Amino acid sequence: MFILFRRVLKLLMVMLFVPAMAMAQPSPAPIKLALIEGMSGGNANGGEAVFRNLVWAVERVNERGGVKTAAGPRLLTLDRHDSKGQVEEALSSLRAAIDGGAQIILQGNSSAVAAALIEAINKHNEREPSRRVVFLNYSAVDPILTNEKCSFWHFRFDAHADMRMAALMSVLKDDKSVKSAYLIGQDYSFGQAVLREGKRQLGIQRPDVQIVGEELHPLLRIKDFAPYAAKIKASGADAVLTGNFSNDLTLLVKAAKEAGFEGKFYTFYGNALGAPAAIGEAGLGKVIAVADWLPNVQTASSEAFYQSFRARYPKPADDYVHMRMHLMVEALAQAIEKASPAGQKPTAATGQDAIDLIAVAAQLERANVTLQGQNGTMRAADHQFQQPLVVGVMDRQGAPGVKFDVEGSGYGFRVIKTLPAASAEQATTCRMQRPG
């Protein structure tokens, strides 16, 4: 009788212990994303704007329970590393991020840095396959990154410089007020690519336009653009064509305004980071910018997206929304879920902490993602995201089509042209080398 009692007691203890063990099973570790960006230096405002967008994008994924995988729901975490906008600092940050367990690397505000990261990641992934990483690029737009330097591990979610230039030219070709143009840019791979493509496309679309100036200047080092503005004014140019960003754009525009330049600015980034406030009244109807999306895109879903961002970041100085970054994070979440679907038994490569990055990259190659009416697809041939582009012209807030301003400046951008993804697409020379 006593033996029977002990057996029953033992059985009861086991029955109680099993659920306790199940409850004690650790949750899958979060998936680490590492942002490597210039958080100090000449483009610190750009780095902080990127960080705000990525924080909000990650928050939205986590609020719906994270990414559903074979190992269970997994949250995303976002670490930030300050590259100071320098290549060597970025490479040092890459090593620190990998040592810290990051599996997804995010960067964009320098094509020179992006090129160095692609090369370093290619070598690392070949040397240490158990610690591979994937590189998601949201802003580095030198075309070479998805052409000669294309990589299986690199995915670009911004339109590259030639795509952006084609969008600007689709407007400039019909602007008969422009008879002469001054080309100016930053002296590194991206700025050089912009000037090169600008000359080429002007020759095709507007051979009647005379190029009266062509100049490159040091990247984020010029404090006084007055000498450059004086040359622009003296050239008699009707328009300035530039890919400048951050202080190199705002200081250039301020100097041109003070010099009395009355022509137009065809820009890649004239819609953000202080530029509208710097330009002021002189920019009304004269500053043209190309983007993947603008706050004044006239749809209810687009407006809801923008209003949600402003609710998350209500300070006017924090107002710079990158739709493509949100599409990028959604595409990543989608790819991870498809690479390791819930209900599938985890393998050695997809255990509690690791994710199979070859499988994730294979899914990213065919990403098709929609957010608040905006859609984009990844082209597998070169890992260049294909999406619509919009061109806007600066106008006063409250004018028709300008419900929202930029950074509380009182000026916003009215959409004057929308290019479908198929119209923005460019050919590639990429010869993709895939693992195995």
Side-chain angles (χ1 to χ4, degrees):
M1 183 70 179
F2 179 72
I3 293 174
L4 179 61
F5 175 76
R6 287 182 62 186
R7 286 177 176 173
V8 171
L9 182 61
K10 186 176 181 180
L11 179 62
L12 287 171
M13 290 179 67
V14 169
M15 291 173 66
L16 289 170
F17 187 61
V18 168
M21 284 183 63
M23 291 177 63
Q25 288 291 327
S27 300
I31 296 169
K32 287 191 175 184
L33 284 60
L35 172 64
I36 298 175
E37 197 52 85
M39 299 298 177
S40 58
N43 195 31
N45 57 350
E48 292 295 345
V50 167
F51 183 65
R52 288 191 295 274
N53 276 267
L54 293 177
V55 164
W56 188 46
V58 166
E59 285 175 351
R60 292 202 319 277
V61 172
N62 290 340
E63 284 169 2
R64 62 180 187 247
V67 181
K68 299 173 180 63
T69 72
R74 301 185 65 176
L75 300 179
L76 303 179
T77 61
L78 178 66
D79 296 334
R80 55 186 271 169
H81 299 259
D82 183 9
S83 70
K84 303 179 178 64
Q86 303 299 315
V87 170
E88 288 305 318
E89 292 282 354
L91 294 175
S92 177
S93 294
L94 174 65
R95 291 189 289 272
I98 293 173
D99 289 342
Q103 294 173 283
I104 310 297
I105 304 299
L106 311 170
Q107 184 272 338
N109 283 355
S110 165
S111 290
V113 169
L117 287 177
I118 289 173
E119 184 176 351
I121 288 170
N122 286 343
K123 292 177 179 177
H124 166 80
N125 286 355
E126 184 175 357
R127 187 171 57 244
E128 298 190 56
S130 64
R131 295 204 302 163
R132 291 185 178 111
V133 294
V134 164
F135 175 19
L136 306 186
N137 165 11
Y138 45 77
S139 289
V141 298
D142 186 344
I144 199 173
L145 302 179
T146 47
N147 286 308
E148 293 91 328
K149 291 186 180 293
C150 68
S151 166
F152 178 75
W153 306 108
H154 166 253
F155 296 84
R156 174 159 49 199
F157 284 83
D158 197 354
H160 64 58
D162 292 358
M163 299 167 73
R164 284 175 168 263
M165 185 62 74
L168 281 177
M169 287 295 168
S170 72
V171 174
L172 193 151
K173 72 177 182 181
D174 296 325
D175 187 351
K176 301 309 179 185
S177 69
V178 176
K179 304 294 184 183
S180 58
Y182 198 105
L183 279 58
I184 185 169
Q186 297 151 318
D187 193 7
Y188 79 116
S189 57
F190 161 67
Q192 294 159 10
V194 170
L195 263 64
R196 186 169 56 249
E197 185 65 9
K199 286 174 62 178
R200 190 189 74 82
Q201 291 200 30
L202 271 174
I204 295 171
Q205 302 282 6
R206 287 291 305 274
D208 60 305
V209 171
Q210 181 184 4
I211 296 176
V212 294
E214 182 181 350
E215 189 158 12
L216 292 167
H217 59 78
L219 172 66
L220 298 174
R221 294 181 188 173
I222 305 298
K223 303 300 182 185
D224 181 9
F225 273 88
Y228 296 93
K231 284 188 278 187
I232 292 171
K233 176 77 179 334
S235 74
D238 299 312
V240 171
L241 185 60
T242 182
N244 278 18
F245 58 83
S246 191
N247 290 339
D248 282 347
L249 178 61
T250 56
L251 293 177
L252 172 64
V253 171
K254 283 181 180 179
K257 177 182 175 182
E258 291 168 2
F261 175 68
E262 297 182 355
K264 295 180 178 178
F265 274 86
Y266 279 82
T267 75
F268 280 32
Y269 305 109
N271 57 306
L273 292 177
I279 298 165
E281 292 286 317
L284 298 178
K286 294 182 178 179
V287 173
I288 294 97
V290 58
D292 54 287
W293 172 87
L294 289 167
N296 290 306
V297 168
Q298 299 291 297
T299 67
S301 55
S302 174
E303 181 174 332
F305 170 77
Y306 179 69
Q307 295 281 34
S308 296
F309 180 86
R310 293 309 310 274
R312 175 64 178 85
Y313 295 108
K315 295 181 181 178
D318 293 343
D319 171 30
Y320 188 27
V321 194
H322 299 279
M323 171 65 82
R324 63 182 180 276
M325 294 183 190
H326 301 274
L327 289 169
M328 178 182 75
V329 172
E330 291 296 330
L332 173 65
Q334 177 191 98
I336 294 172
E337 290 183 346
K338 289 184 175 180
S340 178
Q344 182 186 75
K345 185 178 179 181
T347 66
T350 58
Q352 285 288 93
D353 295 333
I355 54 176
D356 183 349
L357 286 177
I358 290 182
V360 171
Q363 291 297 333
L364 277 170
E365 283 194 323
R366 56 181 72 101
N368 185 335
V369 62
T370 299
L371 178 65
Q372 296 293 72
Q374 296 294 117
N375 174 261
T377 60
M378 185 60 68
R379 187 167 65 183
D382 58 349
H383 294 183
Q384 171 62 58
F385 201 55
Q386 306 296 323
Q387 60 193 316
L389 297 178
V390 294
V391 181
V393 63
M394 185 172 158
D395 207 340
R396 227 179 253 103
Q397 184 182 19
V402 191
K403 183 173 183 178
F404 303 112
D405 69 348
V406 179
E407 299 171 310
S409 65
Y411 307 103
F413 279 76
R414 171 170 45 87
V415 176
I416 57 175
K417 187 143 194 174
T418 300
L419 277 76
S423 298
E425 188 173 3
Q426 300 276 313
T428 181
T429 59
C430 170
R431 295 186 176 183
M432 185 72 67
Q433 299 295 316
R434 293 178 167 80

